[in-house]
Amino acid sequence: DVQLQASGGGLVEAGGSLRLSCAASGFTFDYAIGWFRQAPGQGREGVSCISSSDGSTYYGDSVEGRFSIFKDNTDNMVYLQMNDLKPEDTAVYFCAAGPLLFSVREQCPIDNGMNYWGKGTLVTVSS
C-alpha cells in the first residue's frame, strides 16, 4: 500500500525558509507526487509536483522561483524547499501522490488522480 508521511512545517518569519519532507513508500507504478496546500477559508491549491518517470516538475505561479521540489530515490523522500516565504504561503501543506496519468503540469494544478494523501503539516509565515 502507498503511504505518505509529511513533516517539516513550522513557524517562520517572512523572507525565511523551510523544507518540507515526505516519506513515500509502496509505489509499484509511475507516479506523480507533490505538495498541495489549503489556507483557512480557501480551496486546495497545487503547489508543486514531480514525476517519478522523468523528474519533470510543476510549480504554481505563486511559488515559481521561490520553491523547489526534488526527489531522493535512495530513501524514497520528496522534499519541498521553500525560500523567501511570504505570509500568503501560510497554509496546511499536504503531500499527495497518484498514478502518472498525464504530465505533472496537467495533473498537479487540479490534483487530478492524486489518490493518496498524507496528513497535513502546518506552515505559518509571520509578517
Side-chain angles (χ1 to χ4, degrees):
D1 292 348
V2 173
Q3 294 189 350
L4 303 171
Q5 186 167 0
S7 61
L11 173 64
V12 64
E13 292 184 351
S17 297
L18 278 176
R19 177 177 291 188
L20 303 183
S21 302
C22 179
S25 63
F27 293 102
T28 59
F29 46 83
D30 286 337
Y31 57 93
I33 187 167
W35 297 90
F36 298 78
R37 67 186 182 186
Q38 188 161 20
Q42 297 187 24
R44 194 160 60 198
E45 174 189 6
V47 176
S48 181
C49 292
I50 188 167
S51 166
S52 73
S53 174
D54 60 6
S56 58
T57 58
Y58 163 82
Y59 295 96
D61 289 343
S62 61
V63 305
E64 181 85 54
R66 299 188 297 122
F67 291 10
S68 296
I69 189 169
F70 55 101
K71 188 173 177 294
D72 186 340
N73 292 325
T74 60
D75 59 4
N76 294 322
M77 296 293 293
V78 178
Y79 301 96
L80 184 69
Q81 178 65 41
M82 305 185 295
N83 297 328
D84 189 25
L85 282 160
K86 303 176 180 181
E88 51 264 42
D89 294 317
T90 295
V92 177
Y93 285 70
F94 299 89
C95 179
L100 187 64
L101 303 175
F102 321 108
S103 71
V104 290
R105 290 182 176 274
E106 295 170 295
Q107 202 165 333
C108 193
I110 55 174
D111 61 62
N112 189 356
M114 307 304 272
N115 300 328
Y116 306 98
W117 291 80
K119 293 180 65 175
T121 184
L122 177 62
V123 172
T124 303
V125 184
S126 62
S127 57

